Amino acid sequence: MVVIAVLSGGEGADLARRFAAAGAAGMLVADLRPGVAEDLATELDRPGCPVVGVSGDVHQPSDVAALVDTASKHLGRIDLFAVAGPHGERIVSFADLDDNLAPLAELLALVGEAISEVVPPQRQSDSPSAVRTAVR
């Protein structure tokens, strides 16, 4: 399952469409702008790839916690976390991090300290990755 966080000035629609076309098992799209993620979720939701859209600010720990809770309840374990910002996209696979946290450090620089609350529980899960597709 993929979480896509859209930062101010970013655009997540193309990234979400690419994940859907690549066979993602599910997606949660979070956007600061009310209604944008929800509309995209309605457009992309289909059997085999449920999509949930939420409004939220991934710079806020409470919004990150709510985002992860929503993703877990509706879609399952998070495999990939993607950020679409004004300077491009970053995609991090939790399964591929091992002890090399450099890719995650780059992502953290974009979304701030809030996401750090989410990573330890995700890395401790021994469930196999459902999505192994790298989208660029």
Side-chain angles (χ1 to χ4, degrees):
M1 195 273 295
V2 181
V3 170
I4 299 172
V6 181
L7 303 178
S8 181
E11 178 57 49
D14 289 339
L15 182 58
R17 287 184 185 103
R18 291 195 319 264
F19 272 117
M27 286 186 286
L28 183 133
V29 180
D31 197 302
L32 283 165
R33 301 166 292 175
V36 172
E38 294 86 340
D39 290 347
L40 182 60
T42 299
E43 173 192 331
L44 296 177
D45 187 65
R46 61 178 166 68
C49 183
V51 182
V52 175
V54 297
S55 296
D57 181 357
V58 294
H59 292 96
Q60 301 299 318
S62 60
D63 284 10
V64 171
L67 180 146
V68 171
D69 185 54
T70 299
S72 296
K73 281 183 185 174
H74 296 282
L75 302 167
R77 183 180 177 275
I78 299 170
D79 297 299
L80 298 176
F81 193 95
V83 174
H87 303 294
E89 302 165 352
R90 298 280 192 275
I91 302 169
V92 173
S93 167
F94 289 149
D96 294 339
L97 285 176
D98 298 323
D99 290 330
N100 177 13
L101 298 179
L104 185 60
E106 291 177 17
L107 184 133
L108 289 173
L110 293 175
V111 300
E113 295 294 327
I115 192 67
S116 67
E117 297 177 12
V118 175
V119 174
Q122 288 294 316
R123 290 194 66 210
Q124 292 171 8
S125 174
D126 51 348
S127 160
S129 177
V131 177
R132 297 257 181 211
T133 306
V135 177
R136 295 190 193 275

